[in-house]
Amino acid sequence: MDEEHPLCPSRCPRSKPDRQKWPFMFWGLLKFLCVFYHQNVVTNRNCFHCKVKRSRIYSKDSPSRCDITLDSLLLMYEHNSPEESTSESASLLWTANQQQSTCELCKNMWWNFRREIEVFTDEDIGKVICHPQVRIGRWNHKGSGVLAFCLLLSYISVLLYDFGYFIPKMWGKPEEKLRFINKVVLFLFLVSYPVLAILSKIRSFLKASAPHISWATTLNARYLIRRAQYLDLSTRGLPGKFFLFICITGPLTVGVYRGVINIVMNECPLVLHSILTPVIGTWFLETWACFIYLLYVIRKSFQCQFSLLLSYIKENEGNVDLCRGALMSAAVDFSCFRQLCDFYIVVIFPVGVFSITSNMTWAYLLTSSCVIDDKHAMTIQTHITIMVWSEIILGYFLYSSALGGMRVAYLWENFYFNMLQLKSIPHLSFWKELLIDMSKCFKDSNILLATVLCSVIGIYTTFDFSDQDVAYLISICNGTNITMFCL
């Protein structure tokens, strides 16, 4: 037995010698997005049946545990069970308990990408970084939740400062109505992820008291670890490396372009805010793009899990309880992800519609204004138009590429159709029960999106955009040739 070094005690359990850590980029991504909240990201996993049995044991001390719903499977990611220790010294103990569990459904929750049961700890996958001689550090610690929450609030504060800098110049001025809408649309777009992340922290804090934001569990580190275990990160690394490259370089390119327009092309005296605006915009665009890549990782993990489920159900054909348990466990997790995507698209879709319509309106007004008589002003305006449409196209491209479309319901539909093809006559009643259960899980509808689209267009058409100030870059209309920002 290896001698334990005093600087790396048993509370930092040793990983298996043949196990590779998950890539550095994965943990860096979670840290950058302020995902961490709980001290341990790997905890015991129990199926719904075992959850009910355990609730009977603890109901004497905590009567509220008698209320077991499907949401309790999501709450598994939010808190520890009573017998679990939050210290790392107990991780090997509960790992052994999980491996010795007689419940096959509980074991199935530890599938890897080969459908092998692989129980792991924080240190095994690299969340805790240990060196044979010294403990280097960790990605997550006791103060991570508070730190993440404070960082997210500071992000929103910075955006509010940047937004508030322009509002007094536009508020109450009819000729600035179109510019005001553009600013509001951009603000809502950039602030979307920090708000979602804060809701995730609120869900982790309130737990069962906030069932209506259960979808926010998707941004829980434990949920993401469960998703990532299907992707073979230790060997293949992060999935979609080219897509990750686009997510990083795309916003950076647009941000640099914005900086060139604000700093180099602008004839106004250079002030601090002229430098801060492109920096703030680039930072939040990068944050949003990393969030979109995280959605891509989750989508890929569900595709892998559904493939594993198909083979598992086929092998256990006829065992209704076992297959239904495995199916419903995946359905609960997918429902969480699907609700997040549906909520996000309903919120962001109007923002996208407003951004497109307002910029099209701006282009039409520009052609009929006096700005076209000044070559320098038109050059700047052309660059601004290219930058804005680049942001719009980049946003739609990244989002649709990450989810494989505008919505993720097709993943469950494809899974359902694959199940139909596996039906066999000898076990017809078995397949009938499973397919009925699957059909009851999700009922997708595009009525809400259509309603939102019509409402947004209806609201937009009520605005009067005549006499808008599209010559704010250069005021040649009054013969001064002085940019409006300088006045």
Side-chain angles (χ1 to χ4, degrees), residues 424-464:
S424 60
I425 300 299
H427 299 91
L428 194 59
S429 59
F430 163 80
W431 289 105
K432 183 178 180 180
E433 286 193 43
L434 285 188
L435 292 172
I436 290 176
D437 291 338
M438 288 186 66
S439 62
K440 291 180 179 179
C441 288
F442 309 110
K443 294 182 179 180
D444 192 49
S445 175
N446 293 319
I447 296 178
L448 181 59
L449 271 183
T451 304
V452 171
L453 175 62
C454 295
S455 301
V456 169
I457 295 177
I459 293 173
Y460 187 81
T461 55
T462 60
F463 289 110
D464 179 17

Side-chain angles (χ1 to χ4, degrees), residues 86-100:
T86 56
S87 65
E88 293 170 15
S89 60
S91 59
L92 289 180
L93 177 61
W94 68 254
T95 300
N97 292 336
Q98 289 276 280
Q99 290 173 335
Q100 296 172 4

Side-chain angles (χ1 to χ4, degrees), residues 215 218 223 295 298 302 331-345 399 403 406-413 441-446:
W215 47 264
T218 306
Y223 180 94
L295 296 183
I298 298 174
F302 275 114
V332 169
D333 281 359
F334 182 72
S335 174
C336 184
F337 174 56
R338 177 177 173 271
Q339 289 179 50
L340 170 69
C341 294
D342 287 349
F343 173 80
Y344 189 71
I345 193 63
Y399 187 82
L403 301 184
M406 298 306 293
R407 310 188 75 180
V408 295
Y410 74 93
L411 293 175
W412 189 259
E413 293 172 358
C441 288
F442 309 110
K443 294 182 179 180
D444 192 49
S445 175
N446 293 319

